Every structure is written in C-alpha cells, then in structure tokens.
Amino acid sequence: MFSYLANPQRFEKFARIAIPTCGWLAGALIVAGLWYGLFASPVDRFQGDTIRIMYVHVPSAWLALSLYFAMGFASFVFFIWRHNLADVAAVSIAPVGAVFAALCLITGSLWGKPTWGTWWVWDARLTSMLIQFLLFLGYMALRAAIDDQRLAARSGAILAMVGLVNLPVVRFSVEWWDGLLHQGATVFRVDGPSIHGSQLLPLGLMAVGFTLLASWMVLYRMRSAILSRKAASLRRIRESRA
C-alpha cells in the first residue's frame, strides 16, 4: 500500500477521491448515529439517559487505540524501509489520535460522574488510556523538539513502536485486573454481542462514522504535508540556483 501510494501522482489521485468520500460518508453516518442514539434508542434500565454517552465514548476509545496501532505500524515501516510516506502517515495520525483519546477521556469522565459518583478514579482502564493519550502528545512533542528531520523521524518512530506495548494493556486491563468499573467486551464476543440491537445500531453507525471521519482527517493532513514538503523542496532548489 505504501509502495503504491508513494508516487505523488498516485497518492494525489487517490486523495482527491478518498478525502471527499470519507468526509461526506462520515457526516451522514454520524448524523444518523446521533439521531438513533439520542432519540430512537430506548432509555437504559439502570443508567437511564446517561447510557447515550456510550455512542460517543466507545467509538472514541476504539479509534484512539486503532489510530495508535496505525501510527506504530507506519513508524515500523518507516524505521525498517525508510519509507517517507509512512513517516508522513505517522505524523498525520498523531494529532488525530490525540483528539479521539482526549474525547474518550472526557466523555468517560462525564459518564463516570453519574454512574460511579466521581469524575475520575485510577482504574486500570482509565490509567492506561491516559497513558495512551500522553503517548500521542509525547510523540508530537518529540518530533517538534528536534530540528534535524531525519533524527526526529527516527526518534519518533522508536517512541511510537515502544508505545505499542500499551495497547494490549488498555484492551485487556479489565480482564487482567478484574476492573469493577469497566465491563468486559460487549460487542466483539465469541458468542455474539451482548447489547440489544436498539443500542448496537447507533453504536455501529457512530463507530463507522468516526472511523471515516478519522480517515478524512488523516488523509487531509497527509495531503497537506506532502504538498508542503514538495513546496519546501522546490524552494530549496530555487534558492540553490539563485
């Protein structure tokens, strides 16, 4: 995939189609998901209307983990094969992942207050997700702190790859440490989802919508970064000839 899109013309052709497609589909699915989640899905027996926070919180958590995995994978590709597009992808993913991780923490806190009686506790899932958010911020800070672009890319790639060890901690923290606040998997289970279809539909719409929104944001940032690098390269060539 990286090899095919490494050609600027191919990536530009792909981006011209993918960016608006992802944007429009994301908007439509998120609007539909919010309508079903806020107005069409029933009130939860135990949590009442508070359960509706789930339709933003859970997809945000999925995206935060998925985007970090994508950033780590792109960093691995760059570190091993020096693939510039992979580095551009990692840099573009980081702030998007940070946004979804922050949204996950904020909505989790809003959900936690009426459910647990507190905004925050040092639960294993909460703590590991906070670490995930800080890893995104740390990656961006490290890249910004190093002037040498090659050194910054290599250092960032190492940090991103090391941070991958936190993903299974976030994912399995409830099972490993018997979390009393967070429940186990309810959607991706061997015996099928354990939540009602009236809740599963808006959750699925929001999850797909958020995924397309993240794709739109990442591709837009990648395209902008490539154009910026191309402009900088042309500027250097022009200056060398002057």
Side-chain angles (χ1 to χ4, degrees):
M1 183 65 172
F2 284 119
S3 298
Y4 176 79
L5 295 177
N7 182 282
Q9 287 76 23
R10 283 199 292 261
F11 181 83
E12 178 64 23
K13 183 179 179 181
F14 170 77
R16 275 203 308 267
I17 299 173
I19 290 175
T21 301
C22 289
W24 284 108
L25 286 176
L29 289 172
I30 290 173
V31 169
L34 288 174
W35 186 85
Y36 274 105
L38 295 176
F39 304 109
S41 65
V43 175
D44 186 73
R45 178 181 178 184
F46 300 104
Q47 299 186 46
D49 282 318
T50 308
I51 195 66
R52 302 186 195 282
I53 300 175
M54 171 182 70
Y55 303 127
V56 174
H57 175 71
V58 174
S60 298
W62 289 345
L63 262 294
L65 298 182
S66 299
L67 286 168
Y68 195 92
F69 177 81
M71 187 177 79
F73 176 75
S75 296
F76 174 79
V77 172
F78 170 76
F79 191 80
I80 299 299
W81 291 287
R82 299 292 188 273
H83 212 302
N84 289 330
L85 184 66
D87 181 55
V88 171
V91 173
S92 302
I93 289 169
V96 180
V99 167
F100 281 103
L103 186 58
C104 170
L105 292 170
I106 292 169
T107 53
S109 182
L110 294 173
W111 196 1
K113 179 60 177 177
T115 305
W116 307 331
T118 182
W119 299 104
W120 181 270
V121 293
W122 292 102
D123 172 70
R125 173 65 60 80
L126 285 171
T127 304
S128 55
M129 180 54 76
L130 176 61
I131 292 172
Q132 200 69 58
F133 173 62
L134 294 176
L135 283 168
F136 280 119
L137 296 185
Y139 176 87
M140 291 187 288
L142 180 62
R143 294 294 299 253
I146 302 175
D147 293 329
D148 187 321
Q149 293 301 311
R150 291 186 179 182
L151 179 59
R154 285 178 56 82
S155 301
I158 293 172
L159 176 60
M161 289 187 291
V162 171
L164 288 171
V165 301
N166 190 57
L167 294 182
V169 176
V170 179
R171 172 63 180 83
F172 298 108
S173 56
V174 176
E175 288 83 0
W176 291 349
W177 286 286
D178 297 324
L180 299 177
L181 300 179
H182 284 88
Q183 64 187 35
T186 57
V187 177
F188 299 107
R189 296 161 52 101
V190 176
D191 56 349
S194 62
I195 65 175
H196 194 267
S198 61
Q199 296 177 328
L200 187 61
L201 175 60
L203 184 60
L205 289 171
M206 290 296 290
V208 177
F210 271 28
T211 301
L212 289 170
L213 176 63
S215 300
W216 174 77
M217 296 169 72
V218 170
L219 287 171
Y220 189 89
R221 287 181 55 82
M222 287 181 67
R223 186 185 187 190
S224 299
I226 290 172
L227 291 175
S228 178
R229 292 187 180 191
K230 183 178 180 180
S233 177
L234 293 174
R235 192 180 307 114
R236 286 193 299 269
I237 294 173
R238 190 178 299 113
E239 290 173 354
S240 66
R241 291 176 177 176

